[in-house]
Amino acid sequence: MMRFLLLFSRQGKLRLQKWFTALSDRDKKKIIRDVTQMVLARQPKSCNFLQWRDLKIVYRRYASLYFCCGLEQDDNELLTLELLHRYVELLDQYFGNVCELDIIFNFEKAYFILDEFVIGGEVQETSKVSVAKSMEEADSLQETMEEYVNKPTY
Amino acid sequence: MPAVSKGDGMRGLAVFISDIRNCKSKEAEIKRINKELANIRSKFKGDKALDGYSKKKYVCKLLFIFLLGHDIDFGHMEAVNLLSSNKYTEKQIGYLFISVLVNSNSELIRLINNAIKNDLSSRNPTFMCLALHCIANVGSREMAEAFAGEIPRILVAGDTMDSVKQSAALCLLRLYKTSPDLVLMGEWTSRVVHLLNDQHMGVVTAAISLITCLSQKNPDEFKTCVSLAVSRLSRIVSSASTDLQDYTYYFVPAPWLSCKLLRLLQCYPPPEDGAVKGRLVECLETILNKAQEPPKSKKVQHSNAKNAILFEAISLIIHYDSEPNLLVRACNQLGQFLQHRETNLRYLALESMCTLASSEFSHEAVKTHIETVINALKTERDVSVRQRAADLLYAMCDRSNAKQIVAEMLSYLETADYSIREEMVLKVAILAEKYAVDYSWYVDTILNLIRIAGDYVSEEVWYRVIQIVINRDDVQGYAAKTVFEALQAPACHENMVKVGGYILGEFGNLIAGDPRSSPLVQFNLLHSKFHLCSVPTRALLLSAYIKFINLFPETKSTIQEVLRSDSQIRNSDVELQQRAVEYLKLSSIASTDVLATVLEEMPPFPERESSILAKLKKKKGPGAVSVNELEEGKREGGELNGGGERGGDSSAIAASNASTPSPSADLLGLRTGPPVTAAAPSAGSLLVDVFSEAGVNDDGFLRDLEPPTESSDSLLAEGPGDSDSAPPTVVSEDPAPPLPESNELLNKFVCKNNGVLFENQLLQIGIKSEYRQNLGRMYLFYGNKTSVQFLNVQAKPVEPLIEGGAQVQQVINIECLSDFMEAPLLNIKFRYGGALQNLTLKLPVTINKFFQPTEMASHDFFQRWKQLSQPQQEAQKIFKANHAMDTEVLKAKLLGLGMALLENVDPNPENFVCAGVIQTKAQQVGSLLRLEPNAQAQMYRLTLRSSKDTVSKRLCELLAEQF
């Protein structure tokens, strides 16, 4: 399973962090520091995987933003690379031509989309249509909440 | 598609974020944040009740501040309040805050749980999903306690929406990982397996992760998933790229599901059902074939997804390790990838091949790629790829290519990246030791290692070379000559000086005949380095000097002069000063005899696991040595350095009884022990053979150690020493059957080595024992509790007479030849008053005594655990606690068992896992243990996995009595 997902900028600014195991704040900070430094120091065109402690680190850069996750030894690196890509596609689908600013200003949405896609470090839904539908349902609830609560549920 | 600026847009938040982004400096940012924190705090504390929107906005700001890396210590209560809001967005932000900033404040968790409970029972799928996500994100034990019973119901209920099922499956998985004891198997488990057949691909994708994890821990219960998984996989693999609609990813049908299915299958041995197996092999072949087809898209996403499945299929093939045809195909495929233009694929191919190298079917095939791998080590631009290449070379190394690989690794070391040098050094040192055919090559290699990468040569490495040189007299002369030459280099590493100093101090005499390396030349050479060295090295050199005085009296005056000089005898370092003073005094007042005794050549080191191997194992990261390698290393090591062949090979345990303790080296298998004879072809698997140099008398004790099932005529037990002195008296009475309580007595000693084995009103038998590798020594103390002599006791090995109140001691040497079930019997006969006493006990020798603890990292543990997944390799028992469930007591017992207790391996801190290797002469049996206490039920579940089924079974039986 995936242990964590980090989004950070080329300058090393963290944009999103998601932890799938319980860690102390100190450990989290240390991991963030070590992993961002290590990934940012990589030469362009290096391979997208590296070994760090007992974890496999898989990362990919999209424009100014690095998407990076830590995997357990059993996990499949290539598929995780595509998981990152699918996440970018989902963000793109939601925001429309997503850029780093969208994620900064709407960080909560980035979290919500991730929750629809991955839970507890495992992929729950790979279909773009399904994720979009869930997000849409949630967004529609926001506007019609008042009416909605008075409506009987399905 | 929904636009982003929805009605819930929080303007205040956007403004704050902009402000932060406009800050020119870190200080300005901190200032702005502190201002905001003060503002929020006052709002939260203010008299005016905040409306939901403001609360949401401030909580969101806190979240943002936290994500910037600042600590947040308030706002939790407000977030909890949001959970029960009937506005969806407020609820959602509340949950997000809780998920990101978990606090184990139990008061708060109770409130959170309450809100979750309401949402779970709301029957509104969107709310239910929110609640489930939150449980999965926090995953605390309190949540498991509250919801572990409810979630399985939601998961398998017929009317649950698909999206909720998906969340429930993964939520349950998270809880199971953190608190497996709270997720109880039940009626739902069989229905979960059938989710593999679910119409909805998303449900299958989510459920399969749960099933995989459950199968790993309860393989038997979930066995049916194998055939279901195979048929699902087969349907996907054979489907056209458009069949699965949105689950097709860049023309690859359901890559996530396929990989998860292949991963699930890796929890099991190959299917036994021929049809299922045939279908699976067909799938694997199709996947391998597809790799050769032209790509359906030029996009990297397409090839990545396709290759992800391919690599997972190869992992499964390696896991089965039973289809030579597929293994070779997999190896060829990886061979192609080794030269692929995509760096990622080269990296993964090297990684996969590492595991392939350990399969007997493919080891040779992997070796054919040696040139490519060496080339990768030399030319890859990316250090992580080079690292993988080095790992693979290490894995594919065997006797046939060791020289080439070690040479390549050495030459790579000259330019290797600093980050991996230390590990490379360890690997070279291990390979050199493991595959040394002649020790001069070994010495050359290590000295080269020090020359090339001296800074990275840890203490362990140079200690080891000295241990080996000292234990092998055939290489000592060569070593002395070689270090002497190496020291002549104008600049040589301090580690070289250490090795040189030690070796010349011990064996300089072996090359002193040559005038070019006369004693004085040797001394001057060493001393020329002295001033450049650190204090510990100087101390070592001073010891070498005093050894020189003993070896070469002609150097005495020169060396005394050096010792006497102010820079030594008045050195500001206490250690150096003390050595100088003492050595000077020793050399001037002691006679040559005394000097020769004090400064005698070092005795051989006791043989033990290579400390380097232990070190490499400790190092995390790539190439951490697996248990497999470790065992192999030990085996090889034993072969090379263990020296002597040990006698006695026909029985499972041979014990030699020595009345005088032999040097400890004997215990460690360094020297050829006295050949153990006898050993009848036993019906049982076990024979303890006792013989003694002690004289045999008519009266005294008699003890026969015999196999439990053996008839008395095969009870022969004399060694060569005593057969001619006096034949042992044959006992007329048959040995008594074992005492009824002997099993219980035996159990007392499973986790400890010393104690009282038996006691009645006459006699007390105490035991002290020690074990190392496959050898053991046991001291039996027979105490006469009465005030009269035990008379006319027929005896063989011990002193025949025990005075009243006195104690005699008997020593039994034990060698474990192969694994065994029954403990050897100890039959004791003696005469007390007029009556012959005859009692038979079980000697507390159990298989676990031969454990060698194995420390390993979590990853290695689970990898090994998985490798031992065949049903017969596992033994499991669930039993009621016989003693209080005290963690410290449990730990002490597990340590007493002889395995290594591994910390931080099991995701559940309540559980214990241990690893060890049982050393027998015939083989080594790696064993893993897992003990899961359930405090509530006062039950334990104990699981043993070993490479040998009888061992798992026996250990499980033994241990079930212990807790």
Side-chain angles (χ1 to χ4, degrees):
Chain A
M1 75 179 244
M2 203 195 291
R3 295 272 192 89
F4 58 80
L5 171 71
L6 304 176
L7 268 60
F8 49 89
S9 70
R10 258 163 68 195
Q11 291 75 34
K13 285 235 184 230
L14 195 63
R15 297 303 180 202
L16 184 138
Q17 48 171 312
K18 182 85 181 175
W19 305 90
F20 299 107
T21 49
L23 290 171
S24 69
D25 284 347
R26 238 183 89 224
D27 290 345
K28 286 182 188 172
K29 280 189 178 157
K30 183 163 169 29
I31 292 175
I32 292 171
R33 199 180 53 236
D34 290 0
V35 170
T36 48
Q37 271 176 10
M38 197 172 56
V39 169
L40 289 171
R42 304 266 298 164
Q43 300 286 326
K45 291 199 183 157
S46 296
C47 83
N48 296 88
F49 320 125
L50 43 123
Q51 185 75 34
W52 179 73
R53 302 209 210 147
D54 60 336
L55 295 183
K56 292 171 169 178
I57 303 292
V58 174
Y59 71 95
R60 188 187 257 170
R61 189 179 140 184
Y62 288 89
S64 57
L65 207 55
Y66 283 86
F67 287 67
C68 170
C69 49
L71 304 179
E72 292 177 352
Q73 290 302 314
D74 285 352
D75 289 310
N76 191 312
E77 292 101 328
L78 279 176
L79 203 60
T80 307
L81 208 51
E82 292 320 303
L83 180 143
L84 295 178
H85 186 73
R86 178 49 42 117
Y87 183 44
V88 174
E89 286 182 347
L90 292 171
L91 292 169
D92 198 61
Q93 174 181 262
Y94 184 80
F95 290 108
N97 207 2
V98 67
C99 68
E100 193 182 340
L101 279 180
D102 291 322
I103 294 172
I104 295 173
F105 280 94
N106 301 283
F107 66 92
E108 77 281 11
K109 299 287 183 204
Y111 274 103
F112 298 147
I113 295 172
L114 185 58
D115 271 343
E116 294 297 332
F117 180 39
V118 175
I119 297 182
E122 300 281 354
V123 177
Q124 82 151 335
E125 180 54 82
T126 63
S127 156
K128 263 161 99 172
V129 176
S130 296
V131 174
K133 210 172 112 228
S134 306
M135 288 304 290
E136 220 173 321
E137 271 171 21
D139 277 336
S140 71
L141 278 182
Q142 297 175 354
E143 285 158 347
T144 58
M145 191 66 208
E146 302 288 337
E147 308 153 40
Y148 189 85
V149 282
N150 298 323
K151 252 192 325 199
T153 52
Y154 337 91
Chain B
M1 288 295 110
V4 182
S5 50
K6 283 277 171 192
D8 69 318
M10 288 169 277
R11 219 178 137 261
L13 176 66
V15 170
F16 175 58
I17 295 175
S18 300
D19 280 1
I20 295 287
R21 286 180 51 75
N22 290 334
C23 286
K24 294 278 183 289
S25 66
K26 192 82 197 160
E27 290 72 34
E29 183 184 310
I30 290 174
K31 215 173 138 201
R32 177 72 185 86
I33 285 171
N34 285 337
K35 189 178 147 209
E36 193 63 40
L37 285 175
N39 173 39
I40 298 173
R41 215 180 249 120
S42 74
K43 291 280 196 253
F44 282 168
K45 279 198 184 141
D47 308 328
K48 233 173 60 194
L50 288 175
D51 61 16
Y53 171 80
S54 314
K55 227 183 262 175
K56 177 180 85 171
K57 185 179 71 185
Y58 293 131
V59 164
C60 226
K61 279 183 181 175
L62 286 180
L63 200 48
F64 182 75
I65 294 170
F66 175 79
L67 292 173
L68 286 176
H70 302 268
D71 294 328
I72 295 295
D73 52 7
F74 68 103
H76 300 79
M77 206 54 204
E78 284 72 16
V80 173
N81 287 341
L82 287 177
L83 295 185
S84 39
S85 163
N86 53 9
K87 285 216 167 73
Y88 179 75
T89 51
E90 289 168 16
K91 194 190 271 292
Q92 203 183 19
I93 294 293
Y95 272 124
L96 180 61
F97 185 92
I98 303 294
S99 301
V100 175
L101 276 122
V102 212
N103 195 319
S104 52
N105 182 335
S106 58
E107 203 48 28
L108 214 51
I109 288 278
R110 213 168 39 84
L111 293 172
I112 296 169
N113 280 357
N114 244 341
I116 291 177
K117 201 164 278 167
N118 288 337
D119 283 331
L120 278 186
S121 52
S122 71
R123 302 184 55 79
N124 173 328
T126 316
F127 287 14
M128 290 172 86
C129 282
L130 265 188
L132 289 168
H133 293 174
C134 181
I135 301 173
N137 282 324
V138 177
S140 71
R141 198 162 169 86
E142 290 89 344
M143 285 196 173
E145 276 162 4
F147 303 111
E150 174 67 13
I151 296 171
R153 269 199 294 279
I154 297 177
L155 176 59
V156 298
D159 57 348
T160 307
M161 300 276 296
D162 288 333
S163 62
V164 178
K165 271 191 197 163
Q166 288 170 267
S167 301
L170 292 175
C171 182
L172 188 57
L173 172 60
R174 173 73 199 262
L175 293 186
Y176 186 71
K177 279 186 177 166
T178 45
S179 318
D181 54 319
L182 295 178
V183 180
L184 302 173
M185 301 295 121
E187 182 253 347
W188 61 276
T189 37
S190 59
R191 299 175 62 182
V192 162
V193 176
H194 285 277
L195 289 178
L196 285 175
N197 273 335
D198 203 283
Q199 289 289 309
H200 191 287
M201 294 281 277
V203 172
V204 193
T205 308
I208 193 170
S209 297
L210 173 67
I211 296 168
T212 305
C213 182
L214 292 171
S215 302
Q216 277 163 350
K217 316 220 167 155
N218 323 278
D220 287 342
E221 237 167 298
F222 288 87
K223 234 187 225 151
T224 46
C225 71
V226 173
S227 60
L228 292 177
V230 169
S231 60
R232 189 94 206 195
L233 179 69
S234 149
R235 266 179 286 157
I236 299 173
V237 168
S238 58
S239 66
S241 55
T242 50
D243 288 357
L244 302 172
Q245 295 155 352
D246 205 35
Y247 290 90
T248 296
Y249 181 84
Y250 291 86
F251 303 101
V252 180
W256 278 277
L257 184 50
S258 306
C259 285
K260 284 184 176 190
L261 286 164
L262 288 162
R263 169 109 343 242
L264 170 61
L265 291 170
Q266 287 171 59
C267 303
Y268 289 91
E272 280 154 23
D273 182 332
V276 177
K277 187 171 179 189
R279 208 161 169 201
L280 178 56
V281 168
E282 217 171 274
C283 285
L284 294 171
E285 278 169 348
T286 313
I287 294 170
L288 286 167
N289 291 340
K290 278 188 181 169
Q292 303 299 331
E293 288 169 10
K296 292 198 178 71
S297 155
K298 284 214 167 63
K299 286 232 160 77
V300 68
Q301 281 76 21
H302 171 73
S303 63
N304 278 351
K306 193 166 114 178
N307 290 328
I309 300 174
L310 178 61
F311 275 106
E312 208 58 66
I314 290 175
S315 293
L316 181 62
I317 293 169
I318 297 173
H319 166 78
Y320 285 162
D321 198 14
S322 59
E323 301 282 327
N325 183 24
L326 287 175
L327 277 164
V328 169
R329 280 194 68 182
C331 188
N332 290 341
Q333 181 61 53
L334 293 177
Q336 281 184 22
F337 282 153
L338 281 184
Q339 317 225 32
H340 203 278
R341 61 188 167 76
E342 279 257 355
T343 317
N344 286 346
L345 289 179
R346 295 199 301 276
Y347 177 96
L348 294 175
L350 289 166
E351 187 189 36
S352 263
M353 263 204 184
C354 248
T355 44
L356 206 52
S358 56
S359 158
E360 56 171 317
F361 297 114
S362 48
H363 184 78
E364 288 306 314
V366 171
K367 274 167 63 184
T368 59
H369 298 286
I370 185 166
E371 296 303 334
T372 319
V373 182
I374 287 173
N375 198 38
L377 186 64
K378 287 179 176 160
T379 58
E380 280 290 350
R381 285 176 47 206
D382 184 343
V383 54
S384 48
V385 185
R386 290 198 295 274
Q387 167 107 47
R388 286 278 173 242
D391 289 344
L392 178 53
L393 283 180
Y394 181 75
M396 66 162 69
C397 191
D398 62 18
R399 232 170 258 292
S400 72
N401 55 20
K403 284 203 172 169
Q404 185 189 7
I405 285 179
V406 167
E408 290 296 346
M409 285 175 123
L410 270 177
S411 78
Y412 172 62
L413 253 180
E414 308 221 26
T415 54
D417 313 77
Y418 296 110
S419 56
I420 62 171
R421 278 196 186 183
E422 191 185 352
E423 197 184 312
M424 290 286 294
V425 167
L426 292 175
K427 285 184 169 167
V428 170
I430 289 168
L431 292 179
E433 183 183 336
K434 197 160 144 185
Y435 298 116
V437 182
D438 63 296
Y439 277 89
S440 49
W441 175 73
Y442 170 73
V443 170
D444 284 341
T445 305
I446 301 294
L447 293 185
N448 263 328
L449 204 54
I450 295 175
R451 196 175 49 72
I452 294 169
D455 283 343
Y456 297 89
V457 172
S458 54
E459 304 264 279
E460 285 86 351
V461 173
W462 75 262
Y463 288 172
R464 187 71 186 157
V465 68
I466 283 173
Q467 281 175 13
I468 288 179
V469 169
I470 286 185
N471 289 4
R472 310 275 319 183
D473 21 2
D474 51 338
V475 75
Q476 288 159 357
Y478 181 80
K481 179 167 160 287
T482 321
V483 285
F484 177 77
E485 283 162 7
L487 285 173
Q488 281 171 327
C492 66
H493 195 274
E494 191 165 332
N495 280 335
M496 187 72 88
V497 180
K498 289 179 185 163
V499 176
Y502 203 108
I503 288 183
L504 291 181
E506 295 292 328
F507 309 114
N509 55 326
L510 300 176
I511 56 168
D514 188 326
R516 284 167 300 177
S517 53
S518 71
L520 222 47
V521 175
Q522 287 185 39
F523 171 73
N524 286 333
L525 181 62
L526 278 181
H527 198 53
S528 69
K529 314 285 180 195
F530 188 90
H531 304 281
L532 302 169
C533 292
S534 64
V535 169
T537 309
R538 289 185 191 193
L540 185 152
L541 285 177
L542 288 180
S543 300
Y545 296 170
I546 186 73
K547 290 227 164 191
F548 266 52
I549 293 185
N550 175 44
L551 287 179
F552 318 116
E554 65 266 39
T555 60
K556 184 169 169 177
S557 59
T558 317
I559 292 175
Q560 280 181 333
E561 209 167 301
V562 168
L563 292 176
R564 205 178 289 123
S565 71
D566 279 358
S567 60
Q568 308 300 348
I569 211 157
R570 298 205 175 147
N571 196 296
S572 59
D573 185 88
V574 179
E575 175 68 28
L576 292 181
Q577 193 187 86
Q578 188 177 356
R579 284 193 192 208
V581 172
E582 286 175 1
Y583 291 162
L584 183 60
K585 209 68 191 162
L586 179 68
S587 66
S588 33
I589 60 171
S591 70
T592 22
D593 283 356
V594 171
L595 214 53
T597 314
V598 174
L599 301 171
E600 204 185 349
E601 191 181 302
M602 290 296 284
F605 286 87
E607 199 47 54
R608 54 181 157 229
E609 179 193 325
S610 164
S611 46
I612 315 177
L613 207 57
K615 170 144 180 153
L616 180 62
K617 217 169 15 138
K618 242 184 258 161
K619 274 181 77 78
K620 289 216 168 135
V625 188
S626 71
V627 189
N628 262 337
E629 282 176 86
L630 184 70
E631 285 169 4
E632 196 189 337
K634 267 196 222 138
R635 203 158 47 240
E636 304 267 0
E639 196 179 295
L640 284 171
N641 308 314
E645 68 278 14
R646 299 175 204 102
D649 49 335
S650 55
S651 58
I653 283 200
S656 62
N657 179 345
S659 50
T660 48
S662 48
S664 66
D666 182 30
L667 251 186
L668 300 163
L670 269 180
R671 75 183 183 100
T672 311
V676 176
T677 55
S682 56
S685 62
L686 178 90
L687 176 84
V688 176
D689 170 34
V690 180
F691 66 95
S692 163
E693 284 104 57
V696 177
N697 234 318
D698 269 359
D699 45 8
F701 262 84
L702 170 93
R703 287 161 311 12
D704 288 325
L705 298 172
E706 56 172 298
T709 52
E710 214 167 27
S711 60
S712 58
D713 58 351
S714 63
L715 206 176
L716 54 102
E718 71 262 53
D722 54 5
S723 59
D724 47 355
S725 61
T729 325
V730 175
V731 196
S732 50
E733 293 86 353
D734 283 341
L739 293 175
E741 66 268 33
S742 59
N743 267 329
E744 203 179 307
L745 296 171
L746 178 75
N747 280 330
K748 282 205 312 193
F749 284 87
V750 170
C751 293
K752 62 176 187 178
N753 287 334
N754 306 328
V756 174
L757 175 65
F758 173 78
E759 188 162 13
N760 63 11
Q761 65 277 25
L762 302 178
L763 175 73
Q764 183 193 51
I765 306 176
I767 285 204
K768 269 174 89 169
S769 48
E770 55 197 27
Y771 294 87
R772 204 161 299 172
Q773 308 229 346
N774 66 330
L775 302 176
R777 171 172 298 169
M778 183 177 282
Y779 299 85
L780 294 170
F781 300 88
Y782 299 91
N784 183 345
K785 289 172 64 184
T786 66
S787 54
V788 294
Q789 290 180 351
F790 290 159
L791 282 178
N792 190 24
V793 187
Q794 297 168 314
K796 220 175 22 148
V798 274
E799 285 300 315
L801 189 80
I802 308 175
E803 288 294 343
Q807 204 183 43
V808 285
Q809 177 187 342
Q810 179 189 29
V811 187
I812 300 173
N813 285 340
I814 300 162
E815 180 177 4
C816 180
L817 299 180
S818 75
D819 68 287
F820 59 97
M821 301 292 279
E822 289 297 330
L825 297 185
L826 173 69
N827 177 235
I828 300 161
K829 290 175 189 159
F830 61 96
R831 205 165 281 283
Y832 172 69
L836 180 78
Q837 308 287 325
N838 180 349
L839 64 104
T840 301
L841 296 168
K842 289 197 173 175
L843 207 56
V845 181
T846 45
I847 185 72
N848 64 294
K849 298 296 180 194
F850 304 97
F851 258 128
Q852 187 90 350
T854 315
E855 291 292 343
M856 60 177 90
S858 165
H859 156 241
D860 293 325
F861 182 86
F862 289 115
Q863 193 174 9
R864 183 82 185 134
W865 184 264
K866 210 191 67 190
Q867 281 167 1
L868 298 171
S869 58
Q870 296 191 22
Q872 68 273 17
Q873 293 177 324
E874 181 181 285
Q876 192 173 69
K877 265 202 174 145
I878 298 176
F879 52 92
K880 233 176 161 56
N882 289 319
H883 306 277
M885 294 176 105
D886 180 320
T887 310
E888 290 311 310
V889 175
L890 285 177
K891 275 189 183 163
K893 282 188 176 165
L894 288 169
L895 286 172
L897 176 69
M899 301 176 91
L901 184 61
L902 305 177
E903 304 279 356
N904 302 328
V905 167
D906 198 288
N908 180 357
E910 306 291 313
N911 293 345
F912 299 93
V913 294
C914 300
V917 179
I918 291 181
Q919 308 278 339
T920 74
K921 187 165 188 240
Q923 66 184 131
Q924 305 190 329
V925 185
S927 303
L928 303 174
L929 172 151
R930 180 163 196 224
L931 180 68
E932 298 160 274
N934 180 342
Q936 269 181 324
Q938 286 289 305
M939 300 279 280
Y940 290 100
R941 182 166 69 176
L942 173 70
T943 315
L944 262 304
R945 287 192 177 185
S946 311
S947 46
K948 206 164 170 195
D949 48 348
T950 47
V951 172
S952 298
K953 198 162 150 267
R954 179 61 181 152
L955 285 172
C956 198
E957 281 168 11
L958 283 171
L959 283 171
E961 304 296 325
Q962 299 299 318
F963 301 108

